[in-house]
Amino acid sequence: KDSPGQGTAFLRTRLNAAFQPAEKISAFIQLQDSRLYGSEPNTLADTHNVDLHQAYFTVEDLFINKLRLKSGRFESSYGAERLIGTAGWHNVGQAFNGSVLRYRVSEKLDIDSFGAQLIHQVDPANLKNTGRYLAGLYATYRPKETHHLDFYAISEFNRKKTVKDEPYLTRATLGAYDKGKLDCPINSNNALDYEVEVAAQLGKRHNPADGQRQDIRAFMLTASIGYTLDTAQKPRLAVGYDYLSGQDADDEDYKVFDTLYADNHKFYGFMDYFVDIPVDTGGSGLQDVMAKLQIVPHKKLTLKADVHHFLSAKKVDDENSYGQEVDLTAVYRYHKALGFTLGVSVFAPGELMKAKFGGNDDVAAWSYFMTTANF
């Protein structure tokens, strides 16, 4: 984070182009320039920031009816994005190189089969010792417009050999995600909403502590419920709880839940102290007790307040408090093509966060202003 008195300005520019050479064939290309103000040595410098963020084609009804293929480089988002997301807050954003086959079983059920190569590693001693891969199945069932239920199986495979004849990582993440709205006795307009996700991770990994193989046994549990008043201001209050398992120092199995390629910024506080899990928790896991309030005082203005109480899943030296964070956000839609966002956050550190930052117990403050233009 920036020290007090300092400011950082980021700029992300995207240029999109869509093509449809045939009735059921289309293509999409997205160029992106991501830069930091003042990073160029002078006003004549060229920092070569332009990248191909997305470039893919899609084919509808490939060979059989209702089978859709997407292949190339693309953003990917599933469920609430707790495991695979676009990371849109990041100034670059997340994209995958691979393919997705989607089969529409019915109007209520889609099944995705996907695969991607994440890293191309080169080992001169063993040319077959290359690559990190992601693959999976994701099914989405929509029994009605206000409810959907997802089931998934995600596999990761890293062929790098750190133990003879054994890959660095083989991990499977199995889970379910349920989101919907419920009728309320005092308000029949689906005022109650809920969200639940459970996942387990199994497999084997390289243990850097002793160089041996280690069994993976980890899990995640998240749940939240919200209520929205049926008034013009649409005030909404939600409370929730997240649990990401961790491990003790003497555990033989690896019990730390890894959030894979999630968009953790929107879940675990906007100050991003827990954006890279499990690295940011040191393997101790994470608990997040949260409350969120939202109100629309004007049709163009939305105000939000999020409160988090962060704890580790496993105690460290008899302590498990990371601290508390409050995020205040104002979103103003000036025009359908132009919007502004102002955010202010504070973090009061607990004992674990104080230890992480060398005993510093100062309350951290952070603010930002963002402009978004789409045309």
Side-chain angles (χ1 to χ4, degrees):
K1 299 294 182 289
D2 295 323
S3 58
Q6 291 184 334
T8 303
F10 294 89
L11 175 66
R12 186 178 73 187
T13 307
R14 289 176 172 176
L15 179 63
N16 306 332
F19 310 91
Q20 188 164 6
E23 181 181 356
K24 295 185 178 182
I25 302 175
S26 61
F28 180 80
I29 297 175
Q30 185 177 67
L31 299 178
Q32 175 175 276
D33 177 90
S34 298
R35 64 180 62 234
L36 174 65
Y37 280 19
S39 60
E40 298 90 348
N42 58 67
T43 56
L44 296 175
D46 183 0
T47 53
H48 303 290
N49 291 325
V50 177
D51 183 30
L52 187 67
H53 185 62
Q54 295 190 84
Y56 62 86
F57 69 89
T58 59
V59 182
E60 305 290 345
D61 297 331
L62 177 67
F63 300 126
I64 62 174
N65 192 31
K66 298 182 180 179
L67 183 64
R68 179 177 185 261
L69 169 68
K70 176 192 283 189
S71 187
R73 179 172 176 81
F74 50 84
E75 291 184 342
S76 189
S77 172
Y78 285 103
E81 297 191 324
R82 290 184 183 275
L83 294 175
I84 298 178
T86 60
W89 173 262
H90 194 277
N91 204 43
V92 175
Q94 189 161 250
F96 297 86
N97 300 316
S99 299
V100 179
L101 276 174
R102 171 170 294 178
Y103 182 63
R104 171 147 289 187
V105 179
S106 68
E107 290 298 320
K108 296 182 178 181
L109 177 61
D110 289 330
I111 300 177
D112 279 12
S113 172
F114 57 86
Q117 183 172 5
L118 306 175
I119 300 174
H120 178 71
Q121 298 158 163
V122 178
D123 184 351
N126 185 356
L127 295 180
K128 294 182 179 180
N129 181 13
T130 60
R132 179 166 179 164
Y133 302 89
L134 178 73
L137 291 171
Y138 200 100
T140 300
Y141 176 58
R142 298 171 296 274
K144 55 183 179 179
E145 185 178 348
T146 57
H147 178 218
H148 71 80
L149 177 62
D150 302 350
F151 297 95
Y152 53 82
I154 303 171
S155 174
E156 299 167 276
F157 183 53
N158 190 338
R159 295 176 61 180
K160 181 179 179 182
K161 303 291 192 301
T162 51
V163 177
K164 182 176 174 57
D165 298 327
E166 295 284 353
Y168 183 88
L169 174 72
T170 55
R171 177 168 54 199
T173 303
L174 310 175
Y177 170 65
D178 189 17
K179 179 180 180 180
K181 295 184 178 182
L182 301 171
D183 290 332
C184 179
I186 60 175
N187 187 336
S188 61
N189 295 326
N190 299 122
L192 281 171
D193 60 86
Y194 70 91
E195 191 173 16
V196 178
E197 186 163 4
V198 294
Q201 290 182 334
L202 307 170
K204 290 184 178 292
R205 71 186 285 267
H206 166 78
N207 185 358
D210 58 16
Q212 300 300 312
R213 298 287 282 170
Q214 189 176 27
D215 289 333
I216 299 173
R217 302 288 185 270
F219 70 94
M220 172 185 74
L221 170 64
T222 73
S224 66
I225 186 167
Y227 180 76
T228 304
L229 286 175
D230 188 17
T231 65
Q233 291 74 34
K234 299 179 181 178
R236 178 179 183 272
L237 174 65
V239 293
Y241 174 72
D242 286 11
Y243 185 95
L244 309 178
S245 65
Q247 69 176 27
D248 293 316
D250 57 352
D251 285 336
E252 293 185 3
D253 294 338
Y254 185 71
K255 299 179 179 179
V256 184
F257 190 86
D258 191 311
T259 56
L260 307 184
Y261 308 97
D263 189 356
N264 284 329
H265 168 80
K266 67 181 184 180
F267 297 115
Y268 306 121
F270 294 164
M271 295 183 74
D272 289 345
Y273 284 113
F274 306 103
V275 72
D276 187 0
I277 298 173
V279 174
D280 290 340
T281 62
S284 299
L286 179 68
Q287 299 181 73
D288 181 14
V289 182
M290 72 199 82
K292 299 186 178 184
L293 176 65
Q294 177 176 303
I295 191 169
V296 184
H298 186 273
K299 64 180 181 179
K300 292 187 175 183
L301 178 64
T302 301
L303 302 177
K304 304 177 184 180
D306 299 349
V307 180
H308 298 268
H309 179 52
F310 295 114
L311 303 164
S312 64
K314 293 290 186 177
K315 287 188 176 182
V316 180
D317 297 329
D318 291 326
E319 298 289 348
N320 71 338
S321 174
Y322 285 118
Q324 298 77 40
E325 180 172 332
V326 178
D327 301 317
L328 304 177
T329 310
V331 181
Y332 182 72
R333 178 59 62 184
Y334 178 81
H335 184 270
K336 64 180 181 180
L338 181 65
F340 304 102
T341 302
L342 173 66
V344 178
S345 299
V346 294
F347 190 98
E351 293 302 319
L352 294 184
M353 197 62 75
K354 293 177 186 177
K356 182 177 180 179
F357 289 96
N360 188 345
D361 60 356
D362 293 342
V363 173
W366 177 69
S367 63
Y368 67 93
F369 180 76
M370 180 169 64
T371 303
T372 304
N374 298 292
F375 50 87

